[in-house]
Amino acid sequence: MNSSDIGATVVITHRVREGKHLDYESWLDEIGPLCRSSKGNLDWHIIRPIPGLTSTNTVIIRFDTKANLQSWMESPIRSRLIEKVKPLLVSGDDFFIRSGLDFWFVPEGAKARVPARWRQYLVTWSAIYPLVLGVPLIVTPALRLLGVPDNHALTTLAVTGTVVFLMIYVVMPRYTKLVRRWLFA
């Protein structure tokens, strides 16, 4: 198996129309088990919006190979369910697919080589460590201010969701540019 065929992730974002959130949750209950039972599915995570702060639902789905992920994304079952959910969404079914964690280290559309795994490890670890220390200090009080009860599982869900969001959209795109010379040395 080609190393680029190992592991693939799709990040899907949906902005739900006002008043349609319960219908959207029902739709997630319908599509979730079908996706999780498809060939090669490793996991499925939903990052729900925080009322008053964000408005986007993010679904992160991992598969064992890009081919299996592509098969799910192009399946008639998913196509039918996407058509069903479209009236609930402000905009379409937005997504991007990447293999493994390499999408953090290789520019979009690049035919560049991937850095050594140990370098990827060090860069990722050094980015996650301060986030894991700092994000709970901000998210936990924010949840309490919003009236979210003190629940370890719920707090951990919000903290990890925030860390993943920051890693993918804020930290890694900038950090990898900063350390590019060392990363590819």
Side-chain angles (χ1 to χ4, degrees), residues 98-141:
R98 296 291 184 268
S99 295
L101 291 177
D102 294 340
F103 68 89
W104 281 340
F105 300 98
V106 180
E108 179 81 27
K111 298 201 184 303
R113 60 189 169 87
V114 176
R117 291 279 181 197
W118 69 270
R119 289 178 190 258
Q120 291 181 39
Y121 163 79
L122 288 176
V123 168
T124 304
W125 183 27
S126 67
I128 287 177
Y129 180 72
L131 291 174
V132 169
L133 289 176
V135 167
L137 300 175
I138 297 166
V139 170
T140 303

Side-chain angles (χ1 to χ4, degrees), residues 14-110:
H14 292 150
R15 288 188 49 230
V16 180
R17 293 183 188 279
E18 194 64 40
K20 298 294 183 181
H21 294 280
L22 288 177
D23 294 334
Y24 181 76
E25 288 296 324
S26 295
W27 177 82
L28 285 173
D29 290 341
E30 183 178 359
I31 196 170
L34 296 170
C35 177
R36 287 189 294 270
S37 67
S38 61
K39 181 181 177 187
N41 181 273
L42 298 175
D43 58 26
W44 155 290
H45 298 281
I46 302 167
I47 302 170
R48 290 176 173 81
I50 299 171
L53 294 178
T54 63
S55 61
T56 303
N57 287 276
T58 304
V59 182
I60 303 169
I61 309 168
R62 289 186 326 118
F63 277 78
D64 60 350
T65 66
K66 190 170 183 178
N68 283 337
L69 173 58
Q70 204 71 39
S71 179
W72 163 251
M73 295 300 289
E74 295 170 358
S75 72
I77 293 170
R78 184 177 187 282
S79 296
R80 178 182 57 81
L81 288 167
I82 293 302
E83 286 304 313
K84 182 178 180 178
V85 80
K86 279 183 180 177
L88 307 178
L89 304 178
V90 173
S91 57
D93 178 52
D94 299 320
F95 64 88
F96 64 90
I97 297 173
R98 296 291 184 268
S99 295
L101 291 177
D102 294 340
F103 68 89
W104 281 340
F105 300 98
V106 180
E108 179 81 27

